[in-house]
């Protein structure tokens, strides 16, 4: 072979390799080079995890989502739905995943995939100042409000009884807190950090809250995906990396002003 032919074949080989490289696009860390934009569902009545600010959905969950999607190499768009519609949309695979302070529990694990935990939570009771509630059991005979279809509903039903007459179920957490404010109900059971945030942001609301670790168990939030989704492993890997490399702690500190207890979510 003369040297021109050799040079030509080297160039051709390089071109072939380059072509392979771009069809197997690993630049985005996504093995099949699939550039599809993921559909992410949320329910944005859950400050500080998912809420509206200046016409946009923001929150701790949205920042974790951004980091995980960047790590996994996916573009995504967020669709804001009602809680129930969000769950259905993932179940029917209209959405690729959902993030909205969603607790990992067995019932959901039967119908969905859930990622590994990214946040530890428990429940608190929010009630008008001076009502004298000191434990979860104290709400047994009160008019209690919860968001329908949440673990707060389950926690309240453990105390009041399933579908108890004195339990009102609202479509959103915001509606439950508004009912408390207007005096329709006497207590709300909701996720602890959401209760903290509500009280911090509404100093004039004249409400207080209690924590009761004996009554309310600890639980963990995860990313919700359709059952047996191909994305579950990728999402878990990306989440693990984001936790390991410190991006998680950075986001956590931005939102909560303290360092996260990484052990609690990775144990
Ligand atoms: N963590 C609770 C649950 O999973 C409540 C979540 C409510 N989230 C929301 N975006 N409204 O049931």
């Amino acid at each position: 072979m003369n040297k021109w032919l050799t040079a030509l074949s080297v160039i051709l080989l390089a071109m072939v390799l380059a072509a392979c490289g771009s069809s197997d696009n690993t630049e985005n860390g996504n093995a099949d080079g699939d550039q599809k934009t993921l559909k992410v569902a949320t329910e944005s009545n859950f400050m500080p995890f998912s809420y509206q600010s200046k016409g946009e959905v923001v929150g701790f969950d949205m920042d974790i989502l951004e980091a995980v999607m960047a790590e996994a190499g996916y573009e995504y768009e967020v669709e804001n739905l009602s809680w129930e519609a969000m769950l259905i949309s993932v179940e029917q695979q209209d959405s690729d995943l959902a993030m909205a302070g969603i607790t990992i529990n067995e019932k959901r694990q039967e119908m969905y995939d859930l990622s590994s935990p990214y946040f530890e939570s428990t429940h608190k009771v929010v009630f008008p100042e001076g009502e004298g509630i000191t434990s979860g059991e104290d709400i047994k005979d009160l008019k209690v409000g919860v968001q329908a279809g949440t673990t707060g509903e389950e926690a309240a039903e453990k105390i009041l009884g399933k579908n108890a007459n004195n339990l009102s179920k609202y479509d959103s957490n915001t509606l439950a807190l508004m009912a408390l404010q207007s005096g329709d109900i006497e207590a709300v059971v909701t996720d602890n950090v959401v209760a903290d945030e509500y009280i911090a942001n509404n100093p004039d609301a004249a409400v207080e809250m209690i924590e009761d670790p004996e009554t309310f168990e600890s639980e963990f939030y995860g990313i919700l995906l359709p059952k047996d989704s191909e994305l579950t492993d990728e999402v878990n890997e990306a989440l693990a990396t984001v936790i390991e490399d410190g991006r998680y702690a950075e986001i956590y500190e931005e939102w909560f002003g303290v360092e996260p207890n990484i052990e609690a979510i990775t144990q």
Side-chain angles (χ1 to χ4, degrees), residues 91-108:
E91 191 191 337
Q92 298 184 339
Q93 305 183 19
D94 290 336
S95 297
D96 296 294
L97 54 106
M99 265 184 106
I102 303 168
T103 298
I104 303 167
N105 65 15
E106 271 176 28
K107 207 158 85 194
R108 291 181 185 149

Side-chain angles (χ1 to χ4, degrees), residues 23-267:
S23 72
D24 174 23
N25 190 348
T26 46
E27 181 191 322
N28 60 2
N30 165 12
D32 19 347
D34 187 353
Q35 289 286 357
K36 117 175 164 155
T37 299
L38 297 184
K39 282 172 78 182
V40 178
T42 191
E43 191 267 11
S44 66
N45 277 299
F46 214 57
M47 197 172 181
F49 297 99
S50 174
Y51 65 98
Q52 305 263 357
S53 172
K54 302 185 190 107
E56 247 188 279
V57 184
V58 297
F60 175 76
D61 281 16
M62 294 302 111
D63 286 355
I64 297 295
L65 172 70
E66 188 179 4
V68 169
M69 290 293 102
E71 177 58 32
Y74 283 103
E75 301 281 326
Y76 65 98
E77 51 195 42
V78 175
E79 194 183 6
N80 186 23
L81 301 169
S82 72
W83 176 251
E84 210 194 329
M86 175 194 77
L87 295 175
I88 292 172
S89 145
V90 175
E91 191 191 337
Q92 298 184 339
Q93 305 183 19
D94 290 336
S95 297
D96 296 294
L97 54 106
M99 265 184 106
I102 303 168
T103 298
I104 303 167
N105 65 15
E106 271 176 28
K107 207 158 85 194
R108 291 181 185 149
Q109 275 168 326
E110 280 168 20
M111 293 169 67
Y112 299 95
D113 281 1
L114 277 137
S115 73
S116 18
Y118 68 87
F119 195 84
E120 184 174 11
S121 173
T122 184
H123 289 102
K124 274 188 176 175
V125 182
V126 184
F127 53 92
E129 253 165 34
E131 209 173 63
I133 294 174
T134 57
S135 78
E137 285 301 321
D138 286 349
I139 65 170
K140 195 168 174 34
D141 299 315
L142 299 181
K143 284 195 238 163
V144 178
V146 292
Q147 184 186 356
T150 60
T151 53
E153 174 188 285
E154 278 172 30
E157 285 189 329
K158 269 198 193 161
I159 304 167
L160 276 67
K162 202 158 173 55
N163 296 319
N165 284 335
N166 54 336
L167 183 63
S168 305
K169 302 178 179 182
Y170 298 89
D171 285 343
S172 78
N173 196 63
T174 307
L175 287 173
L177 289 166
M178 279 167 63
L180 181 73
Q181 216 51 75
S182 64
D184 290 349
I185 51 173
E186 297 164 298
V188 167
V189 177
T190 189
D191 293 31
N192 59 337
V193 176
V194 174
D196 296 345
E197 185 80 17
Y198 177 71
I199 291 198
N201 292 332
N202 295 278
D204 299 331
V207 290
E208 51 178 319
M209 62 191 168
I210 57 138
E211 204 169 41
D212 176 1
E214 306 223 325
T215 308
F216 303 117
E217 287 164 14
S218 135
E219 52 185 48
F220 295 92
Y221 296 165
I223 301 168
L224 190 79
L225 303 105
K227 190 86 192 146
D228 299 325
S229 164
E230 316 176 311
L231 283 172
T232 306
D233 287 347
E234 274 178 85
V235 163
N236 272 331
E237 272 165 40
L239 176 62
T241 307
V242 165
I243 292 173
E244 265 160 41
D245 70 11
R247 270 177 287 171
Y248 175 88
E250 211 174 286
I251 296 169
Y252 190 102
E253 283 174 45
E254 258 170 47
W255 282 98
F256 305 115
V258 290
E259 276 177 31
N261 177 359
I262 298 288
E263 245 176 52
I265 56 164
T266 50
Q267 68 196 349

